[in-house]
Amino acid sequence: MSNTETETKTESDGSDSLITTDVQAEQNDRSAPSTRTAVAARNLNVYYGDEQAIKDVTMDIPEKRVTALIGPSGCGKSTFLRTINRMNDMIDICRVEGDVEFGGKNVYDPDVDPVALRRKIGMVFQKPNPFPKSIRDNVAYGLKIQGFDSDVDARVEESLKGAALYEEVKDQLDSSGLELSGGQQQRLCIARAIAPDPEVILMDEPTSALDPVAASKIEDLIDDLAEEYTVIIVTHNMQQAARISDRTAVFLTGGELVEYDDTAKIFEDPEEQRVEDYITGKFG
Amino acid sequence: MATDTPSEAGFGEVSRVRGIVFEYLSLGASVAGLLALGILLVYVAVDAFDLANASPEWLLTYFLTLVVPYLGFCLYSVGDPTVTRRAVAALGGGLVAVAGLFVGIETFVSPIPRLNWPVAYLFVVVIPLTAYLTYVGNQGRVGAVGLGLIGRAVGGAAVGLAVGTLFLVFDQFVWFLAYTFGVFPAVALYVYARRSPSSRAATAAPVVGVVGILLAVFARETISTYPSDLLIFLWTIAIPVAVVGERLVTARGGRTAGLLAGGVPLALAVAGGFLAGTVGLPGPDILVVVALVGTAVAVYLQRVIEDGEGLAGLALPVLLVAGPLVGALVVGAWGVPAPDPWLDVGFLTEAPSRNAVEAGLYPAIVGSVIIIAIVAVLSFALGVGTAVFLEEYTAETGLVGTLTRILQINIANLAAIPSVVYGLLGLGLFANLLGLGFGTALTVSLTLSLLILPITIVSAQEAIRSVPDEFRRGSDAMGATRWQTTKNVVLPEAMPGILTGTILALGRAIGETAPLIMVGAATTVFSAPNSLFSKFSAMPMQIYAWADFPQPEFRYGVVAAGVMTLLVVLIGMNGTAILLRNRAERGS
Ligand SMILES: Nc1ncnc2c1ncn2[C@@H]1O[C@H](COP(=O)(O)OP(=O)(O)O)[C@@H](O)[C@H]1O
Ligand SMILES: [Mg+2]
């Protein structure tokens, strides 16, 4: 909590000085460390019934960076992702302890409306899931449910451009989103997620159902998205994590966050032997 | 060594006998069932239209003036010489085969009652071939245009007649007030809000509507003078329909076309309504029918003409009207004896009578239409509502989950309860306890709604459950509320399935007699019901009563005519619903 607040202050304090410009210039250069935290977990424990899926996780996720969550299957990566936009609320037996801070507030506070929260956090799923509606209606969905009436077409176009899909579909905006190829569908889902202009985008293995060419397009896109959004991506593809992320968190079985550092550090010189074993393929 | 064996002995053979036996047994059973049903329907139709007394000359005349031109139209639309050759071969070969077989059976086996070979030819060859050619003709552009036009006209007329029928029972003055003070201002406000960027007005629209309608209900008693029915229908139905038509066409084809498409049908409807009134026909009904048919046709015509393809299809209505006229002229001039069908205009528009020739089904048709309308609305709204609640809003675990499961099992069991029991329930609950009266439209409708509610709920649940969860999760993750997800994603996807279930259930409701007997519906009423609380009958009840009459004219002729009418209404209803469903399927 305090962490986020002080950082907010730093930024607003310096907003009219020259240094800010530098800081902002630096922020676009993603190799430099981000100065602000977008999402933070504090002593987070998640249970499904009696089974623990996330064990005492504490981490700060930087703003406008790509943070990758890697780890073997079943180690709780998706569960962690879903705690951030409270999609776990949909699972009856799921119980969350600890805090997840976003926008200077614990999203599990009783006065937080999960529906309102999700309007600020976009999500892209493993299997592309465009709605059985036209491409236009898919992208405009978030705008529609939030009651935006003006400039819908312009925002649809902008979001499709943002998802690097516009050129391919501009002549068929009224045809069904389900008629697109898998990779295009996934980019449509990304366009849908960014249309209401969220702050954070969560991606749960967004390329694992796609062929390599489509996957690499999405990877390029993720790189661009980090200019404007905080991207948190779950992947089981280590090369992918190494290629696209700035920070990497390694979860291991039992829902433990074993190591969390700059991506380069994790892949070149991890502190933990278990992480090194996992990355080099000795287990997992 | 061992590797040599297969190449010498082949791979052996795996027995498929059981599968083949099963396949042919089930095929045989279905064909036998369909054949039996087909023969039954043939006899019903023969009786209803008195075809047993149709002379070969009479049949030949109409075959040449109506059937042959229509088949020619379909073949022209298909535009494929092989299909034409096959159709001609089927007509010719069928003629020889049916005539030969028929005569053979009559001479060598036994005479076939109430059939002659031309009628057999009609049912075995001509009707199936016509249906088939209609189907393939509809694939061609010309045929699609022609049949589309006929469909618009028939659909418009059916809706118009149904609206007219509903106002026999529902108070048109309440509707007039509700429209003037509620519906009209609300729609106007909404349209205004959509045009200008003031979303406040849009949210106010439903409120204005509800307040206006409530006001109307209270004002009904205090206001005593009302405009004539003709003016009410003009203001509340014909003009709005014309405006919708005008808007649709203007959006596609510009101002002039829009004004024509809206204005011409309206003018015709007004003229028709007033003129009909002066010669003693029901003017308001004619106004509504002409307005609906005219606008539907006008909107369709504009689209077809704009596309500019298959314009020859527009001649189809001319063909279908001219054919029977020419046929009637020829038959009249030739002096050929014509059959005297039981199912004629009089049968549809007159009250039951002791005299078979004068007997009519009109009050029962009105009764059935009203019940079906109420049952459709009630069971659809309640069924979908309950299904949405059970599927989308209740938790799966805990106390609520257990309760839901118990409820679930009970609903499934309710679907299997015999309809007599529902009749008893309706008698106790609606007629006695709530005092809605014995055999009134309201009691019967509520009872039948209850009867089919489990079926609609279960099928709607099935449809809702078949919507993939990933759509829901996608919508939830966008920050949609439960209701927004349901309304925007789940229901549109589930709608085709929901409609199918509702259609099947309604089909059951329209044919029920047992619960009607239980709640005391009359078997025969002599005037159409004029309020929700008047005594009334339904088609199956009336048919059932006729079947008990001692005179054979009733048992054969009048009952057959009634059954035919019931079937046509049922098929029309199901056809409409299937069209709606296909449209919903294409929309998604
Ligand atoms: N809906 C659920 N109900 C019960 N257990 C679950 C559910 N989702 C995940 N789990 C359990 O939580 C653990 C972590 O799962 P998950 O977060 O999906 O892992 P990952 O995404 O890393 O493969 C697993 O042991 C899994 O069985
Ligand atoms: Mg996962």
Side-chain angles (χ1 to χ4, degrees):
Chain A
M1 196 65 142
S2 61
N3 194 1
T4 326
E5 268 172 15
T6 41
E7 271 163 11
T8 318
K9 213 166 273 163
T10 329
E11 232 253 340
S12 55
D13 279 351
S15 62
D16 48 2
S17 77
L18 237 163
I19 302 161
T20 324
T21 339
D22 285 344
V23 170
Q24 278 169 349
E26 263 173 21
Q27 278 196 338
N28 290 337
D29 169 18
R30 291 185 21 226
S31 58
S34 169
T35 48
R36 291 179 51 176
T37 301
V39 176
R42 298 275 173 264
N43 306 104
L44 187 70
N45 289 289
V46 182
Y47 306 84
Y48 292 107
D50 296 331
E51 210 164 312
Q52 186 157 17
I54 293 288
K55 201 175 286 172
D56 198 30
V57 167
T58 296
M59 70 188 283
D60 286 334
I61 294 173
E63 189 176 59
K64 299 194 180 173
R65 292 290 182 276
V66 179
T67 302
L69 311 177
I70 62 173
S73 198
C75 69
K77 306 179 297 288
S78 301
T79 303
F80 179 77
L81 207 65
R82 288 195 300 261
T83 56
I84 298 173
N85 65 348
R86 290 188 57 175
M87 285 293 277
N88 279 332
D89 291 15
M90 311 269 169
I91 302 168
D92 282 345
I93 55 168
C94 184
R95 189 158 50 83
V96 178
E97 285 171 5
D99 294 357
V100 174
E101 282 160 16
F102 167 69
K105 190 150 183 63
N106 176 14
V107 302
Y108 286 93
D109 274 351
D111 63 337
V112 169
D113 177 2
V115 170
L117 171 73
R118 290 182 203 125
R119 293 183 176 185
K120 292 196 159 36
I121 302 180
M123 189 165 197
V124 177
F125 296 79
Q126 173 171 2
K127 192 168 158 242
N129 63 346
F131 300 130
K133 298 171 181 291
S134 72
I135 293 174
R136 186 198 314 278
D137 289 348
N138 260 288
V139 182
Y141 189 76
L143 305 175
K144 180 178 169 194
I145 59 174
Q146 297 190 32
F148 289 121
D149 286 340
S150 51
D151 299 338
V152 171
D153 282 343
R155 291 183 71 167
V156 166
E157 182 180 330
E158 193 185 317
S159 309
L160 283 170
K161 281 180 178 153
L165 186 61
Y166 186 67
E167 290 305 318
E168 291 161 56
V169 302
K170 64 181 175 200
D171 299 324
Q172 51 176 100
L173 290 182
D174 288 315
S175 60
S176 167
L178 297 178
E179 283 164 21
L180 300 175
S181 73
Q184 288 175 322
Q185 288 191 5
Q186 195 61 301
R187 277 179 281 147
L188 179 60
C189 291
I190 293 174
R192 179 177 76 187
I194 63 180
D197 204 23
E199 289 165 34
V200 177
I201 298 173
L202 310 176
M203 298 187 170
D204 193 347
E205 307 193 17
T207 62
S208 63
L210 305 180
D211 65 89
V213 176
S216 94
K217 275 192 192 157
I218 304 259
E219 285 184 14
D220 293 346
L221 176 58
I222 290 170
D223 215 48
D224 296 339
L225 288 177
E227 303 260 317
E228 267 188 75
Y229 307 98
T230 304
V231 179
I232 308 175
I233 177 171
V234 169
T235 171
H236 60 214
N237 177 336
M238 265 161 308
Q239 288 77 28
Q240 185 175 64
R243 271 196 302 271
I244 62 174
S245 70
D246 304 294
R247 304 270 293 171
T248 298
V250 184
F251 285 76
L252 289 182
T253 317
E256 236 180 303
L257 173 59
V258 184
E259 192 165 347
Y260 174 47
D261 212 326
D262 287 340
T263 300
K265 173 91 167 68
I266 295 276
F267 283 94
E268 279 154 27
D269 180 22
E271 301 282 330
E272 293 262 346
Q273 186 59 40
R274 285 186 289 166
V275 172
E276 187 166 343
D277 289 349
Y278 173 65
I279 285 169
T280 53
K282 285 207 181 113
F283 88 98
Chain B
M1 262 304 162
T3 50
D4 288 346
T5 331
S7 58
E8 279 164 19
F11 292 101
E13 235 181 79
V14 181
S15 167
R16 291 184 185 73
V17 173
R18 266 173 291 186
I20 292 170
V21 168
F22 176 75
E23 187 186 336
Y24 282 100
L25 273 182
S26 41
L27 185 70
S30 356
V31 169
L34 282 177
L35 210 62
L37 194 65
I39 291 174
L40 174 75
L41 288 183
V42 166
Y43 270 105
V44 171
V46 166
D47 284 347
F49 294 107
D50 192 27
L51 290 175
N53 293 327
S55 62
E57 296 89 340
W58 187 87
L59 285 168
L60 180 70
T61 309
Y62 281 100
F63 181 71
L64 289 180
T65 58
L66 181 61
V67 179
V68 169
Y70 177 71
L71 293 185
F73 171 82
C74 292
L75 289 170
Y76 172 74
S77 169
V78 177
D80 181 350
T82 34
V83 177
T84 312
R85 231 173 295 132
R86 268 193 233 141
V88 172
L91 278 180
L95 182 65
V96 176
V98 170
L101 207 64
F102 197 92
V103 175
I105 293 177
E106 291 236 294
T107 43
F108 295 113
V109 188
S110 73
I112 301 175
R114 287 191 289 154
L115 271 186
N116 49 35
W117 71 261
V119 173
Y121 177 64
L122 174 69
F123 281 103
V124 176
V125 178
V126 176
I127 290 181
L129 187 73
T130 308
Y132 172 72
L133 286 182
T134 303
Y135 174 73
V136 290
N138 193 29
Q139 319 281 36
R141 190 64 202 146
V142 172
V145 166
L147 292 170
L149 188 62
I150 300 286
R152 297 310 188 276
V154 172
V159 172
L161 287 174
V163 168
T165 307
L166 287 182
F167 278 111
L168 290 176
V169 164
F170 292 100
D171 186 0
Q172 69 273 36
F173 300 138
V174 171
W175 163 241
F176 167 69
L177 293 175
Y179 178 83
T180 311
F181 298 122
V183 179
F184 178 68
V187 171
L189 202 61
Y190 183 76
V191 170
Y192 165 75
R194 286 294 295 263
R195 292 247 177 105
S196 66
S198 82
S199 56
R200 282 256 305 287
T203 47
V207 181
V208 170
V210 170
V211 170
I213 289 171
L214 288 179
L215 202 72
V217 174
F218 287 113
R220 168 70 180 95
E221 295 307 317
T222 44
I223 298 178
S224 54
T225 47
Y226 288 94
S228 72
D229 286 359
L230 192 69
L231 288 178
I232 289 180
F233 284 170
L234 176 66
W235 160 237
T236 61
I237 296 173
I239 290 181
V241 166
V243 168
V244 170
E246 188 267 334
R247 294 279 82 200
L248 278 177
V249 173
T250 303
R252 285 197 313 243
R255 270 226 72 70
T256 333
L259 284 178
L260 278 176
V264 173
L266 188 62
L268 284 178
V270 172
F274 276 104
L275 287 181
T278 56
V279 296
L281 288 169
D285 290 341
I286 288 177
L287 172 90
V288 171
V289 170
V290 175
L292 280 165
V293 172
T295 310
V297 166
V299 170
Y300 187 69
L301 277 182
Q302 189 271 336
R303 200 171 83 209
V304 170
I305 291 171
E306 181 121 320
D307 287 353
E309 262 182 82
L311 291 182
L314 298 181
L316 182 60
V318 181
L319 209 70
L320 292 187
V321 173
L325 283 182
V326 173
L329 280 180
V330 172
V331 166
W334 197 357
V336 177
D340 181 19
W342 292 103
L343 178 50
D344 54 11
V345 178
F347 183 76
L348 298 177
T349 54
E350 273 158 31
S353 156
R354 294 252 118 227
N355 179 346
V357 180
E358 283 164 17
L361 195 59
Y362 178 66
I365 296 177
V366 172
S368 276
V369 168
I370 285 161
I371 307 178
I372 285 306
I374 301 178
V375 171
V377 171
L378 274 183
S379 65
F380 184 78
L382 281 176
V384 175
T386 313
V388 164
F389 172 74
L390 286 176
E391 287 301 312
E392 304 289 317
Y393 278 84
T394 52
E396 272 159 33
T397 50
L399 184 65
V400 181
T402 316
L403 281 178
T404 313
R405 268 195 300 281
I406 293 174
L407 205 63
Q408 181 83 50
I409 293 168
N410 279 312
I411 290 173
N413 284 338
L414 283 178
I417 289 181
S419 51
V420 195
V421 180
Y422 279 99
L424 205 59
L425 178 65
L427 182 68
L429 182 62
F430 300 123
N432 279 332
L433 198 63
L434 298 181
L436 300 178
F438 297 94
T440 59
L442 208 53
T443 304
V444 171
S445 304
L446 289 173
T447 308
L448 287 180
S449 302
L450 217 55
L451 167 73
I452 64 167
L453 198 54
I455 312 177
T456 29
I457 294 176
V458 170
S459 60
Q461 271 185 296
E462 214 65 61
I464 289 173
R465 221 175 293 150
S466 72
V467 176
D469 243 356
E470 57 196 57
F471 294 153
R472 291 188 185 84
R473 293 294 89 86
S475 174
D476 292 338
M478 294 297 299
T481 59
R482 189 73 65 87
W483 171 241
Q484 286 174 325
T485 300
T486 305
K487 186 185 96 185
N488 295 321
V489 179
V490 177
L491 282 183
E493 245 335 72
M495 203 39 84
I498 294 177
L499 284 178
T500 313
T502 313
I503 298 163
L504 290 178
L506 278 180
R508 179 166 174 203
I510 194 180
E512 278 292 350
T513 39
L516 271 63
I517 297 174
M518 289 303 284
V519 299
T523 46
T524 302
V525 291
F526 292 95
S527 59
N530 55 16
S531 96
L532 282 179
F533 295 99
S534 53
K535 272 275 182 192
F536 85 119
S537 182
M539 283 192 266
M541 289 290 280
Q542 182 63 65
I543 294 169
Y544 171 76
W546 279 332
D548 241 12
F549 277 28
Q551 302 96 310
E553 295 85 40
F554 272 105
R555 274 180 288 134
Y556 294 112
V558 179
V559 166
V563 168
M564 221 50 215
T565 316
L566 183 61
L567 283 178
V568 167
V569 171
L570 196 71
I571 291 170
M573 230 173 60
N574 285 5
T576 316
I578 289 168
L579 281 182
L580 277 181
R581 186 188 69 195
N582 288 351
R583 180 152 290 199
E585 248 164 13
R586 242 180 302 141
S588 66

